[in-house]
Amino acid sequence: MPPLALTLGDPAGIGPELALSAWLGRGGAEPLPPFFLVADPDFVERLAHRLGRPVPVAEVDPETAAEVFPRALPVVSLPSGARVAAEPGVPDSVNAGATIESITAAVAFVKAGRASAVVTNPIAKFVLTRTGFAHPGHTEFLAALSVPPGQTPPRPVMMIWSPELSVVPVTIHVPLKDVPALLTQDLVEETALIVARDLRDRFGLPEPRLVLAGLNPHAGEAGTIGHEDRDVLAPAVARLRAQGIDIRGPLPADTLFHARARTAYDVALAPTHDQALIPIKTIAFDDGVNVTLGLPFVRTSPDHGTAFDIAGQGIARPDSLVAALRLADRLAANAALRSSPLGGAEIIPFSVYAGRPRSPGAHHFDAEDEL
């Protein structure tokens, strides 16, 4: 397998120093998969010196990165040769071009078979938009890069994965007042189908089990607390089940995420952003991974932002980036097996899911089942 391509992210944020920390922890009982950073090698070397990190930096091309990885952090230069001069904690639009170029190059490497997956360091969208960046966010930009110019990009779906819980917000960065109008049967159905497909093809789950949280308290209580659960979510679930998707819901969100409930499903879909992200960031704040489903290549990312407030202090924890690298490697391996020309290759279910206790689904998620 080719190595993973890790993007620069915002160079004033914690992404570059996390790359240094991740490389330093590459050995041990579970060695880190080889990766290369797409960046300005001189900037990375200066940052390592500033932080006092004993990280040798080697400028490489993707084909030699894996060979170099045991002894130095491989850095593939930005194709334009752009240089980066960033002060930690001080975002500056002068570096927006390098940030965007790193993402573009990483995707190009994967599409050319020179990298196995893209792992993205955090960006600050407000920095990019000052220079004319027209995409709603990081994920939409990646989707646009996945197809030739002028073609309609695939619809990406954000899943936050951790060993304890995996969630998908059906609507993402929108005001809460806009959610009922956006939450259509088609949106729920399309999202669930993408999730189920990637759980089969990349996570190796032959029969993925999904649940859908209700929008209103107690999932609407048959329409007495809002009509969306009864009139939108329940019909969408019925349509999905008619297509063979193992999904239940809408279920009361307040009883969906305790330990016993989590044994009855593989991924929880939630109508709103915070319904999904509050439980996983409570349960698995340090090792959550942002996985983009629906793209023709594997993309993972740490489940945190640029953290400008602590950048350059050497205190940022690399746990989420390390988890993102490990997950990307496993998903890329499964995707390669799935597309193997030999045919019939058996994908081993993703280890965490395979080891997670799986109840027979007897838990009812009743509104009265409060902790």
Side-chain angles (χ1 to χ4, degrees):
M1 290 247 317
L4 304 169
L6 175 63
T7 67
L8 171 66
D10 192 304
I14 61 173
E17 65 184 85
L18 293 182
L20 298 172
S21 298
W23 184 84
L24 283 172
R26 67 197 179 282
E30 189 181 359
L32 203 61
F35 67 87
F36 60 84
L37 181 64
V38 185
D40 169 14
D42 291 340
F43 165 74
V44 178
E45 197 163 28
R46 292 195 306 272
L47 181 63
H49 178 74
R50 176 175 183 152
L51 294 170
R53 300 282 172 83
V55 179
V57 174
E59 185 174 357
V60 300
D61 57 37
E63 286 72 23
T64 58
E67 177 188 349
V68 169
F69 186 77
R71 63 179 184 274
L73 173 62
V75 179
V76 174
S77 292
L78 298 166
S80 69
R83 296 302 177 186
V84 175
E87 180 67 21
V90 185
D92 191 334
S93 294
V94 73
N95 292 311
T99 299
I100 293 170
E101 188 179 2
S102 177
I103 300 167
T104 303
V107 172
F109 289 140
V110 172
K111 291 170 71 174
R114 304 176 74 188
S116 60
V118 175
V119 181
T120 58
N121 265 315
I123 64 172
K125 194 178 71 170
F126 76 90
V127 175
L128 304 186
T129 54
R130 292 171 180 170
T131 64
F133 185 74
H135 298 274
H138 206 164
T139 301
E140 292 83 1
F141 182 44
L142 288 160
L145 292 174
S146 73
V147 296
Q151 287 193 12
T152 302
R155 179 173 176 267
V157 170
M158 180 174 76
M159 181 171 82
I160 309 299
W161 172 92
S162 79
E164 294 82 14
L165 172 66
S166 296
V167 297
V168 168
V170 179
T171 64
I172 307 179
H173 300 127
V174 297
L176 194 57
K177 66 181 177 61
D178 295 342
V179 169
L182 296 171
L183 197 65
T184 64
Q185 292 184 37
D186 288 343
L187 177 63
V188 173
E189 182 178 6
E190 183 183 8
T191 301
L193 288 173
I194 291 170
V195 173
R197 183 194 67 203
D198 276 17
L199 288 180
R200 287 192 300 266
D201 293 350
R202 292 180 177 172
F203 284 85
L205 294 174
E207 297 179 355
R209 305 165 305 158
L210 311 181
V211 294
L212 175 64
L215 174 65
N216 297 297
H218 300 177
E221 288 199 5
T224 60
I225 312 177
H227 63 86
E228 293 86 359
D229 299 279
R230 180 195 63 195
D231 297 344
V232 178
L233 301 187
V237 168
R239 283 163 50 174
L240 287 161
R241 293 185 67 85
Q243 297 176 67
I245 303 299
D246 183 353
I247 183 169
R248 288 182 292 158
L251 301 170
D254 60 350
T255 60
L256 199 55
F257 299 105
H258 62 78
R260 189 169 72 256
R262 297 199 304 270
T263 67
Y265 60 83
D266 299 304
V267 174
L269 282 67
T272 72
H273 176 278
D274 284 7
Q275 276 182 315
L277 269 66
I278 287 174
I280 195 166
K281 290 195 174 186
T282 300
I283 293 169
F285 185 79
D286 290 318
D287 57 2
V289 178
N290 186 337
V291 187
T292 304
L293 309 179
L295 297 180
F297 53 82
V298 171
R299 181 263 181 144
T300 66
S301 179
D303 184 28
H304 57 66
T306 52
F308 292 125
D309 58 325
I310 61 170
Q313 299 178 36
I315 61 175
R317 294 180 55 168
D319 306 53
S320 188
L321 176 60
V322 168
L325 290 162
R326 294 194 194 284
L327 182 61
D329 182 62
R330 183 61 186 271
L331 296 181
N334 277 351
L337 279 175
R338 177 70 69 179
S339 61
S340 170
L342 298 177
E346 181 181 355
I347 295 179
I348 299 174
F350 192 70
S351 58
V352 170
Y353 283 101
R356 181 188 294 173
R358 294 168 68 94
S359 82
H363 185 63
H364 297 295
F365 305 100
D366 290 331
E368 301 303 321
D369 183 22
E370 304 278 1
L371 285 181

